[in-house]
């Protein structure tokens, strides 16, 4: 790491100036291209079931061109100083920090233009599902439902948009983050939770739009991508190493009540390596037009006992066989649930803006109160009363910590903060509550929760991401391939571990799983740190892994591959703890000297020594694979060595292109993958 790059310095240039980190230009201002533009915002925000429509009609735009140096920074003027120009914005910088502040009342929109070089590639933005390289597009930073389809050209997306703004677009994500990295090995982070937009549509600039009168940026610089990713991981917090049980076999997701235990035995009899049983319906279910939903009342009471009789004893029996039991929770409580009155009387809900009534949100044919995590007493209550006593204390070893992205903007928070500012922070507060629960029982690093929602800082609390609710298909913007893009993009901003719903989740309007999709998803899931299946939102309409002997054998085989790789995954966990490098990595992270790799998002390095090119196109039996570097790569299935370059590789079902470095210390382990699959 070049220490000289870590301090911003001012350089006068003609009638403008630049801010530089060492020799790298970070921001440049000139009369023809002002570094800052200001305006007065007039926003419109609408939400329906976690889907947001946000627009703005700003007025009073000012693009100051003149400037003067002041102590610790720069003032931008709305006219030449000789003509009586007044200061309208101030830039202050110290060390690696830059603050931009509007000096005019009401001007609460800032457009800050960072310098870009020709051909510079950009990544980041949190967990982006459609594009790894962000060049040429805008990315609003607002946590929300990603949408179903996420492609305005498709019929499914059009139907979902018409039904409730639910189709989504390429930039919609559960986990946005206002951080971007560039191929000059710089990273820029907006230290704010307000609505913002990362705009990479111009070749000569990286524009950040901030809905505030103040924007604070942090600048990171390094000699290469690994150090840059490590710096970001240090900044946002590193996850504990995954527990042995979570990486040593598959977590089987079943939600058919007590029969889930009997069905699990079929997986075990088929030869599956099983580390956990995940029953998200542990607290009860309700049927809706969307499909089978959970009863949002997180305790082991009557509904739980009816669906899972004698659950505590069942959990103990599984644990005696080294199989953990996992459940589900989210930060909302249904009005018809048993916990609702307790939460309301304790002051634990967000309120209406004009009354002390609980603010209710329609989650799809049932209403819920929003647990108010801005209140310390409420965070402690949920961590202890719900996650502690109702879940951890009965032996539950982990759960899906769902949602976090739904906070409406028209409610009242206990700490008096603006919901527009709190909305993006909500997943971080939710993660903190879950981490508090684990710590209270001494379970950090043993019990495991996983989240789909996130924002800057979630890394320090959430031990594992999952990629959200993909459609059960191969579509470009919402199918199996988005799992890869999501893991790679999130990993660049400090999230070491990601996984997905093996088999996909969302099944609507006749879109159902095929056997091919189920098989290909197993092939992909085996090369993630955690392998976990899901029955989806419409389990009765879709194939399950125990629907046929062939699918059961497929899942069992790839679960053995996943378990076989546990020693290597432990090595990756140790690397993540020490350096912040994610388990699944874009190719350029180890081969930055090859610019052609900057946009590759359909294959990944699993650590430094394995290369995985999953089949994510329906019907494909071959695929192009890029092998980077200068040394050979060995094909897992044939044992043949391939030279670096692009190759057309056979990829029949059951043999996705997987390669390893023959000189790896783990080469003997990798040689055994074929045998583990065939056992």
């Amino acid at each position: 790491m070049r220490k000289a790059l870590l301090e911003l310095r001012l350089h006068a240039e003609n009638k403008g100036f630049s801010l530089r980190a060492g020799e790298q230009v970070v921001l440049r201002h000139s009369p023809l291209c002002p570094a800052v533009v200001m305006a007065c915002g007039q926003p419109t925000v609408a939400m329906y079931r976690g889907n947001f429509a946000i627009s703005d009609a700003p007025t009073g735009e000012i693009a100051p061109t003149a400037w003067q140096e002041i102590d610790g920074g720069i003032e931008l003027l709305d006219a030449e100083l000789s003509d009586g120009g007044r200061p309208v914005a101030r830039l202050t910088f110290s060390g690696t920090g830059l603050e931009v502040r509007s000096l005019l009342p009401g001007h609460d929109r800032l457009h800050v233009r960072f310098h870009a070089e020709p051909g510079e590639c950009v990544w980041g933005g949190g967990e982006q599902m459609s594009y790894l390289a962000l060049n040429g597009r805008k990315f609003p930073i607002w946590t929300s439902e990603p949408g179903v389809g996420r492609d305005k050209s498709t019929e499914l997306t059009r139907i979902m948009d018409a039904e409730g703004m639910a189709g989504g677009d390429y930039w919609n994500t559960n986990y946005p983050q206002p951080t971007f990295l560039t191929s000059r090995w710089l990273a820029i982070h907006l230290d704010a939770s307000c609505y913002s937009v990362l705009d990479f549509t111009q070749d000569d600039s990286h524009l950040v739009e901030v809905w505030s009168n103040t924007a604070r940026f942090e600048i990171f610089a390094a000699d290469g991508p690994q150090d840059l990713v490590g710096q970001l991981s240090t900044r946002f917090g590193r996850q504990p190493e995954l527990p042995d049980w979570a990486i040593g076999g598959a977590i089987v997701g079943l939600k058919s009540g007590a029969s889930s235990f009997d069905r699990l035995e079929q997986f075990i009899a088929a030869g599956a390596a099983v580390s956990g049983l995940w029953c998200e319906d542990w607290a009860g279910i309700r049927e809706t037009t969307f499909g089978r939903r959970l009863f949002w009342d997180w305790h082991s009471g009557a509904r739980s006992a009816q669906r899972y009789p004698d659950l505590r004893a069942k959990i103990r029996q599984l644990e005696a066989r080294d199989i953990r039991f996992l459940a589900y929770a989210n930060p909302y409580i249904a009005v018809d649930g048993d916990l609702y009155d307790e939460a309301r009387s304790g002051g634990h809900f967000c309120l209406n803006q004009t009354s002390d009534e609980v603010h209710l949100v329609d989650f799809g044919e049932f209403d819920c109160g929003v647990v108010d995590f801005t209140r310390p007493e409420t965070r402690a209550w949920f961590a202890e009363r719900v996650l502690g006593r109702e879940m951890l204390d009965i032996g539950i070893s982990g759960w899906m910590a769902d949602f976090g992205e739904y906070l409406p903007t028209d409610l009242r928070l206990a700490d008096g903060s603006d919901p527009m500012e709190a909305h993006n922070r909500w997943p971080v507060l939710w993660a903190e509550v879950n981490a508090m629960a684990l710590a209270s029982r001494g379970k950090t690093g043993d019990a495991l929760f996983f989240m789909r929602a996130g924002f800057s800082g979630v890394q320090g609390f959430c031990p594992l991401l999952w990629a959200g609710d993909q459609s059960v298909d191969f579509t470009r913007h919402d199918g199996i391939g988005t799992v890869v893009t999501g893991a790679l993009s999130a990993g660049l901003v400090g999230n070491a571990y990601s996984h997905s719903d093996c088999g996909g989740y969302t099944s609507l309007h006749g879109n159902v799983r095929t056997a091919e999709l189920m098989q290909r998803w197993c092939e992909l899931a085996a090369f993630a740190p955690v392998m976990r299946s899901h029955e989806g939102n419409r389990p009765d309409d879709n194939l399950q892994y125990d629907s046929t002997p062939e699918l059961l054998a497929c899942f069992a085989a790839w679960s053995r591959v996943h378990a076989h790789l546990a020693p290597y995954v432990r090595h990756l966990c140790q690397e993540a703890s020490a350096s912040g490098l994610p388990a699944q990595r874009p190719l350029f992270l180890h081969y930055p000297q090859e610019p052609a790799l900057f946009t590759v998002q359909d294959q990944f390095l699993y650590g430094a020594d394995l290369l995985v090119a999953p089949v994510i196109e329906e019907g494909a039996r071959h695929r192009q694979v890029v092998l980077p570097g200068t040394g050979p790569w060995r094909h897992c299935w044939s044992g043949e060595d391939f030279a670096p370059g692009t190759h057309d590789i056979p990829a029949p079902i059951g043999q996705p292109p997987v390669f390893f470095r023959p000189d790896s210390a783990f080469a003997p382990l990798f040689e055994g993958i074929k045998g583990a699959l065939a056992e």
Side-chain angles (χ1 to χ4, degrees):
M1 181 174 63
R2 292 177 292 183
K3 301 287 186 182
L5 287 181
L6 296 182
E7 184 155 338
L8 295 175
R9 295 188 181 279
L10 175 66
H11 293 256
E13 299 178 347
N14 298 322
K15 292 186 177 182
F17 65 85
S18 66
L19 290 179
R20 300 188 182 196
E23 297 302 314
Q24 297 275 29
V25 177
V26 175
L27 179 145
R28 175 169 279 149
H29 174 88
S30 72
L32 294 179
C33 190
V36 178
V37 176
M38 310 153 52
C40 303
Q42 297 187 67
T44 301
V45 181
M47 185 197 86
Y48 184 66
R49 296 179 182 174
N51 302 287
F52 288 81
I54 300 177
S55 61
D56 198 16
T59 61
E61 181 176 291
I62 297 175
T65 58
W67 65 283
Q68 61 183 1
E69 188 172 358
I70 61 173
D71 185 30
I74 296 163
E75 284 185 341
L76 300 179
L77 315 175
D78 64 350
E80 293 295 337
L81 189 61
S82 60
D83 295 331
R86 58 174 176 164
V88 295
R90 181 176 296 128
L91 283 67
T92 55
F93 46 93
S94 176
T96 62
L98 167 66
E99 179 179 285
V100 181
R101 181 182 296 272
S102 166
L103 301 178
L104 299 181
H107 279 70
D108 55 0
R109 297 292 184 270
L110 295 173
H111 293 71
V112 183
R113 190 180 303 276
F114 292 93
H115 177 70
E117 295 285 351
E120 186 174 12
C121 199
V122 186
W123 311 275
E127 182 188 50
Q128 292 295 329
M129 313 307 295
S130 289
Y131 299 102
L132 178 63
L134 309 182
N135 300 74
R137 296 178 175 86
K138 295 182 180 181
F139 295 84
I141 302 299
W142 186 259
T143 178
S144 70
E145 286 276 9
V148 178
R150 303 180 71 253
D151 182 350
K152 298 304 185 188
S153 69
T154 64
E155 182 63 20
L156 178 59
T157 303
R158 287 193 288 268
I159 292 172
M160 297 306 298
D161 277 339
E163 289 186 353
M165 308 190 305
D169 212 329
Y170 71 85
W171 48 266
N172 287 106
T173 174
N174 304 111
Y175 177 2
Q177 183 171 317
T179 308
F180 64 92
L181 307 81
T182 88
S183 55
R184 287 191 290 147
W185 313 127
L186 297 173
I188 297 174
H189 169 64
L190 170 64
D191 186 18
S193 62
C194 59
Y195 183 87
S196 61
V197 180
L198 303 181
D199 183 348
F200 305 109
T201 57
Q202 303 299 314
D203 292 335
D204 61 350
S205 62
H206 308 311
L207 184 65
V208 182
E209 176 185 345
V210 186
W211 284 26
S212 176
N213 66 357
T214 304
R216 297 179 181 88
F217 297 95
E218 299 171 19
I219 316 299
F220 303 83
D223 284 325
Q226 291 186 44
D227 181 46
L228 193 61
V229 169
Q231 289 186 48
L232 293 175
S233 176
T234 300
R235 163 62 177 85
F236 298 117
R238 292 182 185 169
Q239 301 81 51
E241 292 187 24
L242 293 171
D244 286 340
W245 67 265
I247 66 176
I251 299 170
V252 180
L254 301 171
K255 52 179 179 180
S256 57
S259 68
S260 300
F261 295 100
D262 297 327
R263 293 171 64 193
L264 180 67
E265 297 302 325
Q266 298 177 37
F267 284 82
I268 296 171
V274 175
S275 64
L277 172 63
W278 175 51
C279 296
E280 62 173 351
D281 60 334
W282 73 284
I285 62 169
R286 70 170 86 226
E287 299 287 345
T288 72
T289 56
F290 178 78
R292 183 168 301 158
R293 303 288 300 276
L294 309 180
F295 204 99
W296 293 14
D297 190 30
W298 318 118
H299 68 99
S300 52
R303 288 187 194 86
S304 176
Q306 182 178 13
R307 192 151 183 85
Y308 285 92
D310 205 11
L311 179 58
R312 295 186 189 213
K314 292 286 189 181
I315 292 173
R316 288 194 298 271
Q317 292 167 12
L318 287 178
E319 191 165 6
R321 301 165 64 188
D322 292 325
I323 298 173
R324 303 295 185 104
F325 184 86
L326 293 87
Y328 175 102
N330 70 45
Y332 313 100
I333 297 175
V335 296
D336 51 351
D338 296 335
L339 283 173
Y340 182 81
D341 287 339
E342 179 182 337
R344 181 176 57 181
S345 63
H348 298 310
F349 285 128
C350 301
L351 303 177
N352 290 330
Q353 288 181 325
T354 57
S355 74
D356 289 338
E357 296 298 314
V358 174
H359 184 97
L360 299 179
V361 178
D362 174 10
F363 279 91
E365 301 168 39
F366 60 97
D367 291 339
C368 293
V370 181
V371 180
D372 190 345
F373 291 140
T374 68
R375 187 170 178 257
E377 298 89 343
T378 296
R379 294 198 296 273
W381 172 80
F382 201 98
E384 171 61 26
R385 172 68 179 86
V386 180
L387 303 176
R389 286 158 51 187
E390 298 292 344
M391 297 175 68
L392 289 167
D393 288 354
I394 71 168
I396 290 173
S397 292
W399 56 85
M400 175 182 281
D402 204 359
F403 290 93
E405 58 277 271
Y406 266 60
L407 184 73
T409 60
D410 60 347
L411 46 63
R412 179 156 50 101
L413 298 169
D415 71 347
S417 60
D418 181 354
M420 283 292 293
E421 297 278 345
H423 176 86
N424 279 335
R425 288 192 293 114
W426 216 250
V428 183
L429 292 173
W430 172 222
E432 181 182 2
V433 169
N434 285 269
M436 286 171 56
L438 296 191
S440 73
R441 300 304 194 268
K443 293 289 187 179
T444 302
D446 177 31
L448 185 68
F449 67 91
F450 44 99
M451 294 178 61
R452 69 178 191 180
F455 189 70
S456 313
V458 76
Q459 301 93 322
F461 300 110
C462 175
L464 173 66
L465 296 182
W466 109 90
D469 299 345
Q470 277 72 30
S471 288
V472 290
D473 55 35
F474 293 90
T475 53
R476 167 67 181 81
H477 292 280
D478 198 28
I480 183 174
T482 60
V483 169
V484 179
T485 313
L488 299 185
S489 58
L492 291 174
V493 294
N495 298 276
Y497 313 116
S498 182
H499 76 301
S500 66
D501 294 335
C502 188
Y505 174 78
T506 304
S507 173
L508 292 170
H509 301 289
N511 187 31
V512 295
R513 292 167 164 176
T514 64
E516 180 184 6
L517 178 79
M518 302 281 277
Q519 292 165 327
R520 291 304 196 188
W521 218 306
C522 279
E523 296 170 4
L524 172 59
F527 297 96
V530 172
M531 181 180 184
R532 176 186 53 81
S533 65
H534 199 311
E535 291 199 307
N537 67 307
R538 291 180 175 270
D540 297 340
D541 298 339
N542 281 269
L543 286 171
Q544 303 300 335
Y545 282 111
D546 57 351
S547 293
T548 69
E550 293 77 16
L551 286 177
L552 190 57
C554 172
F555 185 88
W558 288 104
S559 74
R560 294 193 298 270
V561 171
H562 183 266
H564 178 80
L565 288 172
Y568 183 59
V569 177
R570 174 56 57 214
H571 164 70
L572 299 184
C573 290
Q574 292 165 354
E575 279 195 334
S577 179
S579 67
L581 292 180
Q584 295 162 294
R585 306 169 187 175
L587 273 59
F588 74 80
L589 200 59
H590 286 279
Y591 302 95
Q593 70 280 6
E594 300 182 42
L597 303 179
F598 288 172
T599 59
V600 174
Q601 65 179 54
D602 63 349
Q603 59 181 79
F604 60 93
L605 292 169
Y606 198 27
D609 296 348
L610 264 182
L611 185 146
V612 182
V615 177
I616 55 176
E617 292 186 9
E618 188 172 15
R621 297 298 182 265
H622 285 74
R623 67 153 291 172
Q624 294 288 307
V625 179
V626 179
L627 300 177
T630 58
W633 289 87
R634 184 162 296 166
H635 188 233
C636 261
W637 315 117
S638 69
E640 180 183 356
D641 284 353
F642 286 76
T646 301
H647 302 270
D648 184 64
I649 303 297
I653 290 177
Q655 289 190 2
V658 178
F659 295 81
F660 64 90
R661 291 174 47 203
D663 61 348
S664 167
F666 290 92
L669 182 75
F670 302 148
E671 294 278 6
I673 290 176
K674 185 176 179 180
L677 185 67
E679 284 179 8

